[in-house]
Amino acid sequence: MPVNVILGLQWGDEGKGKIVDYYSRDAELILRATGGNNAGHTVVIDKTTYKLHLVPSGLFENNKVGILGNGTVLDLAVLCKELNDLKQRNNGSVVFVSGKAHVIMPWHKHFDVSTETKSGDKKIGTTGRGIGPAYESKANRSTAIRIYDLTTKERFAKRVTEVFQLLKPRLQETAFDKSVESILSEMEPLRLQIAPLVIDSVAFVQPFIEQNKLILVEGAQGALLDFDHGTFPFVTSSNPTIGGIFTGTGVSHKHVKQVIGVTKAYCTRVGAGPFPTKLVDADGEYLQVNGNEFGTTTGRKRDCGWIDLVALRYACQLNGVTEIALTKLDVLSGLKTIKAAVAYKLPNGETTSVFPEDTTVLSSVEPIYRDFPGWSEKLEPNFEMLPNNAKEFIRTIEKYTSTPITLISTGPERKQTITR
Ligand code: GDP
Ligand code: IMO
Ligand code: MG
């Protein structure tokens, strides 16, 4: 059995949690590779909603193993809470943590929410969870704290004290009001809970690969939030695209069989940055309300707009997507006309179907739309029985992206899923 990767093709919140849960039945291991608790992944099972920020979404079935890979940044309090919730479910599923993952410290959150995460005078609109500052520490190395540093009380205290000393000027300047002693005593119960779960995740995964067990990798965020390939600087600080999956887990590319890209049947974005197909009219309102588009992590209203096939094709190309999971098709039901952006008009009047990599250019494009007649019939759980107009919409996305749509989601529940 291979490694299958599930990742977001838009600006996050595509429904990755639901899709990971759907495919988890046949999997033994489910890995998170990147990001931290900026992610909010939702799973709905028999009308009960579960919101997960760190623990993988594929652990609702019995006896699954979850791993938080080396590419993640971990808020220990959030992780311990989710581990306790998992324990309560009492289904034999467990989580281990890569020793090479990094710790989000209280000052990282403080830096993120104090005036720092901006580009010039523009706010990025981060989730305020300390993600950017934690990756900044990882990159500079001198202020990084790894999960391996939690191994003993002495090692952790030594490392935290060293880093605190180094950061002192910045902490004072930004009026950070906690002492090393208070941080260490607050974090001690968390350290004790996490320390026994620390593994060498690269070595841990190998027997699963050798024994041909199915491994899922659960992407976080989405291609357009990628640190390198997204709408920089309005991005997250990790690589949610396929490269980040490899560096963030240590799993080799040669074992990957399917790269399942998840996209909504429309677009949403939470936080600042360009969004060519954003709607500020009644249709946008319809998508927001009907799709219940509020951020899973911060509760912010998500901006909504039509599906953007220029951006989607770019995301498929970037990730080598082998198949698409199309979610929230039900949200479009009842609209008289549905649109899809098929090209952009550039400020100089030219037309392009290539996603502009310069965010300044992207901010000034005008989408060129193709119109589709809508549908109001119930969405039956079978592709052939879907309304013809819905099938036409789906086939156009496949054609434009040169990628088959093998899963269609028509509601948040597991059973509201059509596979082809
Ligand atoms: P993720 O971050 O990609 O895991 O997505 P989120 O969980 O943040 O947001 C997706 C939201 O859409 C959640 O509330 C899901 O329960 C919901 N959802 C997923 N698939 C569908 C679907 O096909 N239809 C509807 N109506 N809701 C869905
Ligand atoms: P999931 O995994 C949607 C956005 C934030 C902000 C930008 C940078 O649920 O799809 P950060 O806190 O990461 O520095 O914020 O990225 N963002 C997300 N938007 N879904 C997410 O994750 C996101 N994670 C970060 O809103 O615009
Ligand atoms: Mg989300």
Side-chain angles (χ1 to χ4, degrees), residues 12-18 40-42 44 296 302 327-331 409-412:
D13 302 328
E14 298 89 349
K16 298 175 292 293
K18 169 182 166 160
H41 297 174
T42 314
V44 183
T296 309
R302 295 174 183 146
T327 61
K328 301 195 113 168
L329 187 69
D330 53 301
V331 177
S409 173
T410 57

Side-chain angles (χ1 to χ4, degrees), residues 119-132:
S119 174
D121 60 351
K122 292 193 203 95
K123 281 202 175 137
I124 307 287
T126 72
T127 58
R129 300 302 193 259
I131 306 297

